[in-house]
């Protein structure tokens, strides 16, 4: 459940599943990039490359709203050989490495030899996308072409102007700011170019310590007169935000404080407060100072009467992930609810559901899980993280969450695969079966078995045995547990490593001193290890070797278990304690 940051515009643009395109839109090649380049050379065209990822939201939006557009299709099909490549599949990783693609969508124009000419990122509506296509054909606007000219030492005003814009649109913010300041230094005193430089200053992201930005701060009234107060203030805020973002990445408190001081020096006190609060929250968020973040948010969000649903949702989500104070979570719930009220979406419904579950308000939480899931599924996405909220609620004994999720097994499995799905749902069902046993509610066990038969028909035998064993374990009815365990584990061709290990471990705990049963359990544990060697069954096997007097084998197996635990970053203190007992026997 990715929550898009509203601090930096680029993050809201660059990052979904893909939609089929209408045949009136762009016609994409179905072969490889090499084949597209060969076709481009034969036809005397450039190649348009869409580098996307299957999970990327803006990629979806491009494919749904822009690529199918009739005018876009006519222009791109006439002028380019078009190809789209998933950067995470097939030849995608190789292409991504070659062209430095690490954010999606990244859009390239290449010559027939594969040399990059022009680049941009993010969603573009049909009108803007057509303009991007025009610039891709024009050497005087192509990012890489202009960059090569600049690096060769050209000092042309048109070059400076076009490269500042082209680099900005290519998300090369450092080059864009550098060229703008070079433009200012070379031509800033000439009246002919002053308007161009000022337009770039309020359009791109200038260096906050550079002459172009300082000119805007020192002559703010003049800029406002020319470009309007909203546009000027938005640009100043964006530049300061980027400055704090850089400072936070470097954990540079001096640069952060210098930016806050810049705000104090250029804004009236009341005007400066919300700006500083936003910058402080950004810095504390990116440096993991969550208590400081929460303290600023608790004061700032109510004080400034924020009506931006995305902003409220972002802050509420951060509280869900990082804050545990009940009063602060209560406030975050209010923000999330207000966000939903302003405009209900998948993201804020998911945030509100998450906070409701975190504060044990499961019934309303499930309502918003269902709403969030509906939005996601309508958009072609299976919301696994949203479903996990309900699974966690089910682990906290919220039965409606369990029943809801048992109806979502197929969707969950489509996204996560059979093994992960079975593991997560089995954990929840086992919890409920164990508790049913503690309460001596056999009817509840039968109900759970009925649910599993519907949702896991291919795992019916295993699930029936597992839940029944969980039930009798909770009920303390060891003989019935043993009867089911032995019938299942001794069956011909049994290859369920988990169940073999589960039964073996319970025998180790319950049958100490019973040589016959421990020997049987040792056989199960050994088979479990042979089927799928992991820390858990190695630990069980070591314990049973110890219990049956094979101290040398136990020592070797326990050592192997500890090594696997370290490699997998799992806790292994119990195995360490077992190792100490083994070594005492070996003395």
């Amino acid at each position: 459940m990715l929550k898009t940051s509203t601090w930096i515009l680029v993050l809201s643009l660059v990052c979904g599943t893909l939609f089929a395109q209408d045949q009136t839109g762009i016609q994409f090649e179905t072969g490889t990039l090499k084949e597209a380049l060969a076709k481009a050379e034969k036809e005397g065209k450039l190649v348009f490359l869409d580098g996307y990822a299957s999970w990327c939201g803006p990629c979806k939006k491009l494919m749904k709203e822009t690529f199918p557009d009739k005018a876009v299709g006519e222009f791109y099909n006439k002028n380019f050989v078009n190809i789209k490549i998933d950067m995470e599949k097939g030849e995608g990783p190789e292409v991504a490495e070659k062209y430095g693609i690490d954010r999606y969508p990244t859009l390239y124009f290449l010559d027939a030899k594969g040399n990059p000419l022009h680049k941009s990122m993010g969603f573009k509506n049909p009108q803007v996308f057509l303009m991007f296509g025009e610039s891709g054909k024009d050497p005087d606007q192509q990012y890489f072409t202009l960059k090569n000219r600049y690096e060769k030492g050209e000092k042309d005003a048109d070059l400076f102007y076009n490269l500042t814009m082209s680099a900005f649109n290519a998300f090369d913010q450092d080059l864009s700011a550098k060229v703008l300041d070079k433009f200012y230094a070379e031509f800033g005193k000439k009246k002919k170019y002053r308007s161009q430089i000022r337009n770039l200053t309020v359009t791109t992201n200038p260096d906050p310590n550079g002459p172009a930005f300082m000119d805007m701060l020192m002559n703010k009234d003049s800029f406002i007169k020319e470009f309007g107060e909203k546009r000027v203030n938005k640009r100043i805020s964006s530049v300061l935000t980027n400055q704090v973002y850089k400072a936070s990445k470097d954990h540079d408190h001096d640069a952060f404080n210098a930016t806050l001081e810049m705000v104090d020096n250029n804004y009236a006190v009341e005007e400066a407060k919300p700006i500083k609060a936003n910058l402080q929250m950004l810095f504390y968020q990116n440096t993991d100072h969550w208590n400081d973040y929460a303290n600023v948010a608790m004061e700032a969000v109510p004080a400034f009467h924020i009506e931006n649903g995305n902003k409220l949702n972002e802050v509420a989500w951060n509280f869900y992930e990082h804050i545990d104070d009940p009063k602060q979570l209560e406030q975050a719930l209010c923000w999330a609810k207000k966000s939903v009220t302003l405009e209900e979406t998948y993201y804020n419904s998911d945030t509100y559901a998450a906070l409701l579950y975190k504060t044990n308000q499961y019934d309303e939480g499930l309502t918003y899980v269902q709403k969030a899931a509906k939005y996601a599924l309508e958009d072609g996405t299976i919301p696994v993280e949203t479903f996990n909220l309900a699974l966690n609620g089910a682990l906290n004994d919220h039965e409606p969450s369990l029943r809801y999720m048992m109806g979502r097994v197929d969707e969950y499995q489509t996204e996560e695969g059979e093994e992960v799905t079975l593991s997560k749902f089995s954990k929840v069902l086992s919890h409920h079966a164990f508790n049913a046993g503690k309460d001596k509610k056999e009817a509840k066990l039968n109900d759970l078995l009925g649910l599993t038969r519907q949702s896991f028909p291919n795992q019916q035998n295993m699930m029936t045995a597992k839940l029944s064993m969980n039930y009798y374990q909770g009920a303390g009815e060891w003989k019935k547990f043993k009867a089911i365990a032995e019938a299942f584990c001794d069956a011909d061709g049994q290859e369920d490593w988990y169940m073999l290990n589960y039964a073996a471990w319970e025998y180790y705990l319950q049958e100490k001193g019973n040589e016959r049963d421990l020997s049987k359990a040792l056989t199960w544990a050994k088979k479990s290890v042979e089927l799928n060697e992991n820390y858990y069954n190695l630990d069980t096997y070591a314990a049973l070797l110890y219990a049956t007097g094979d101290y040398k084998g136990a020592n070797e197996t326990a050592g192997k278990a500890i090594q696997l635990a370290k490699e997998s970053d799992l806790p292994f203190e119990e195995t360490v304690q077992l190792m100490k007992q083994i070594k005492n026997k070996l003395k």
Side-chain angles (χ1 to χ4, degrees):
M1 55 181 80
L2 178 60
K3 299 297 184 264
T4 306
S5 174
T6 58
W7 297 114
I8 303 174
L9 179 59
V10 301
L11 294 179
S12 68
L13 294 176
V14 182
C15 64
T17 26
L18 309 178
F19 290 83
Q21 296 144 36
D22 192 290
Q23 292 301 303
T24 61
I26 296 179
Q27 302 301 304
F28 288 97
E29 301 297 312
T30 57
T32 64
L33 178 58
K34 184 178 180 180
E35 291 168 340
L37 292 170
K39 182 176 180 179
E41 185 171 30
K42 182 179 179 180
E43 297 180 3
K45 294 180 178 179
L46 302 180
V47 169
F48 165 66
L49 166 64
D50 169 30
Y52 71 90
S54 61
W55 48 263
C56 157
C59 302
K60 272 202 293 197
K61 196 171 172 67
L62 266 179
M63 294 191 181
K64 182 179 180 181
E65 299 179 13
T66 301
F67 291 166
D69 183 82
K70 183 178 180 180
V72 166
E74 289 175 353
F75 180 83
Y76 275 72
N77 295 335
K78 177 182 177 181
N79 291 285
F80 310 112
V81 174
N82 306 295
I83 186 168
K84 53 186 174 72
I85 300 176
D86 187 329
M87 294 291 104
E88 298 177 343
K89 298 177 182 176
E91 67 173 329
E94 183 180 345
V95 173
E97 183 177 0
K98 180 176 180 178
Y99 293 106
I101 298 174
D102 58 5
R103 289 180 286 184
Y104 314 112
T106 294
L107 312 169
Y108 266 96
F109 288 103
L110 312 173
D111 66 20
K113 296 187 182 299
N115 298 313
L117 301 175
H118 195 41
K119 169 186 173 183
S120 189
M121 297 182 188
F123 171 76
K124 305 177 192 306
N125 64 35
Q127 183 180 2
V128 174
F129 194 69
L130 283 169
M131 293 170 62
F132 173 58
E134 291 282 4
S135 65
K137 289 176 55 185
D138 185 356
D140 288 332
Q141 297 185 62
Q142 292 169 344
Y143 164 65
F144 290 102
T145 303
L146 294 169
K147 182 180 178 183
N148 289 337
R149 288 172 55 194
Y150 176 77
E151 289 174 347
K152 290 178 181 177
E154 287 191 38
K155 296 182 178 180
D156 179 76
D158 288 340
L159 170 64
F160 289 153
Y161 182 87
N162 290 331
L163 180 54
T164 300
M165 281 302 303
S166 185
F168 175 73
N169 290 326
F171 285 57
D172 189 345
Q173 307 299 330
D174 290 340
L175 180 62
S176 177
K178 181 179 178 180
V179 176
L180 173 56
D181 284 336
K182 185 75 170 176
F183 192 8
Y184 186 95
E186 295 285 342
F187 297 96
K189 293 181 180 180
K190 297 181 180 181
K191 188 175 180 180
K192 176 181 178 181
Y193 300 107
R194 190 174 302 157
S195 181
Q196 283 186 327
I197 294 171
R198 285 189 161 201
N199 181 59
L200 290 172
T201 304
V202 297
T203 303
T204 64
N205 277 320
D207 181 349
N209 299 309
F213 186 70
M214 289 300 176
D215 179 50
M216 180 163 61
L217 287 182
M218 294 173 65
N219 299 284
K220 187 177 175 183
D221 290 342
S222 174
F223 270 79
I224 288 174
K225 185 175 181 180
E226 186 172 353
F227 299 103
E229 184 175 9
K230 183 177 180 180
R231 185 176 177 188
V232 172
N233 284 335
K234 183 178 179 180
R235 181 50 51 200
I236 293 173
S237 176
S238 177
V239 171
L240 296 174
T241 296
N242 282 345
Q243 179 75 349
V244 169
Y245 180 74
K246 289 179 181 178
S248 67
K249 285 179 65 178
D250 298 332
H251 290 255
D252 188 339
H253 289 262
D254 290 338
F256 168 55
N257 290 326
T259 306
L260 296 183
E261 186 177 346
M262 188 180 293
V263 174
D264 286 331
N265 292 338
N266 290 278
Y267 289 90
V269 174
E270 291 304 313
E271 194 178 8
K273 284 182 179 180
I275 298 173
K276 290 175 67 176
N278 281 338
L279 297 178
Q280 288 169 326
M281 289 168 68
L282 171 61
F283 186 82
Y284 296 141
Q285 174 180 341
N286 289 343
T287 54
D288 290 327
H289 286 76
W290 290 107
N291 286 335
D292 292 329
Y293 176 94
N295 290 334
V296 174
M298 289 290 288
E299 182 178 339
V301 175
F304 305 132
H305 306 290
I306 295 175
E307 297 292 329
N308 183 311
N310 289 333
K311 181 65 177 176
L312 290 167
N313 181 58
E314 179 193 347
V315 178
W317 177 254
N318 283 333
F319 271 54
Y320 164 71
E321 286 202 307
H322 302 287
I323 303 302
D324 295 316
D325 179 83
K327 289 185 177 179
Q328 292 180 334
L329 288 174
E330 184 179 342
Q331 186 63 65
L333 270 168
C334 294
W335 300 333
K337 187 172 184 178
K338 184 175 181 180
S339 177
V340 167
T341 302
L342 289 168
E343 183 184 5
E344 188 174 284
T345 67
Y346 162 72
Y347 295 104
N348 55 24
S349 296
D350 178 74
T351 298
Y352 192 37
L355 283 162
L356 287 164
Y357 270 94
K358 187 168 185 174
T359 54
N360 302 324
Q361 300 177 62
Y362 298 126
D363 287 339
E364 190 175 2
L366 179 58
T367 297
Y368 277 88
V369 161
Q370 292 170 321
K371 288 187 175 186
K374 181 174 181 290
Y375 285 119
L377 293 167
E378 287 174 352
D379 202 31
T381 302
I382 297 175
V384 169
E385 293 305 319
T386 305
F387 286 156
N388 283 341
L389 294 173
L391 284 176
N392 289 335
L395 271 176
N396 284 288
D397 302 317
H398 188 241
E399 189 164 326
S401 290
L402 170 64
R403 292 187 175 279
Y404 171 73
M405 286 309 302
M406 292 302 288
R408 295 295 185 184
V409 169
D410 289 345
E411 291 161 334
Y412 200 97
Q413 186 164 295
T414 297
E415 189 70 14
E416 293 291 275
E418 183 178 6
E419 184 176 346
V420 171
T421 302
L422 189 61
S423 173
K424 290 198 173 183
F425 279 76
S426 178
K427 181 179 179 181
V428 174
L429 290 162
S430 293
H431 171 79
H432 280 260
F434 182 85
N435 284 345
K438 285 175 64 178
D439 296 335
K440 309 292 185 181
K441 292 182 177 179
E442 194 163 351
K444 176 67 181 294
L445 171 63
N446 291 330
D447 182 40
L448 292 170
L449 293 175
L451 290 173
T452 58
R453 281 193 290 271
Q454 294 173 16
S455 300
F456 295 100
N458 296 331
Q459 301 290 338
Q460 184 175 335
N461 289 339
M462 183 276 289
M463 291 297 287
T464 298
K466 187 174 191 301
L467 297 186
S468 298
M469 288 162 68
N470 296 145
Y471 177 86
Y472 291 121
Q473 182 183 1
E477 298 185 40
W478 179 241
K479 288 185 179 180
K480 291 183 178 180
F481 179 100
K482 285 180 65 176
I484 295 169
E486 292 184 14
F488 185 84
C489 294
D490 289 339
D492 291 339
Q494 183 54 257
E495 294 188 351
D496 190 316
W497 76 264
Y498 176 87
M499 288 290 289
L500 289 164
N501 183 61
Y502 169 42
W505 179 252
E506 291 303 319
Y507 268 55
Y508 167 72
L509 295 177
Q510 298 290 337
E511 297 290 348
K512 291 179 180 178
N514 185 328
E515 185 175 337
R516 173 194 168 277
D517 284 345
L518 287 176
S519 178
K520 182 183 287 288
L522 184 65
T523 302
W524 297 339
K526 182 180 180 181
K527 187 173 183 180
S528 177
V529 170
E530 291 170 350
L531 289 167
N532 181 8
E533 183 177 282
N534 56 66
Y535 164 70
Y536 300 104
N537 54 24
L538 283 171
D539 178 66
T540 300
Y541 190 34
L544 284 161
L545 287 168
Y546 170 76
T548 54
D550 185 353
Y551 304 127
K552 184 177 179 181
N555 185 60
E556 181 182 338
T557 305
K560 201 171 184 180
I562 290 172
Q563 183 59 39
L564 277 181
K566 289 178 178 178
E567 292 173 3
S568 304
D569 197 26
L570 296 170
F572 54 88
E573 182 57 34
E574 288 187 4
T575 314
V576 171
Q577 295 303 317
L578 174 63
M579 181 76 88
K580 290 178 180 178
Q581 296 176 46
I582 295 169
K583 289 190 180 300
N584 286 334
K585 292 290 185 180
L586 289 171
K587 288 180 180 179

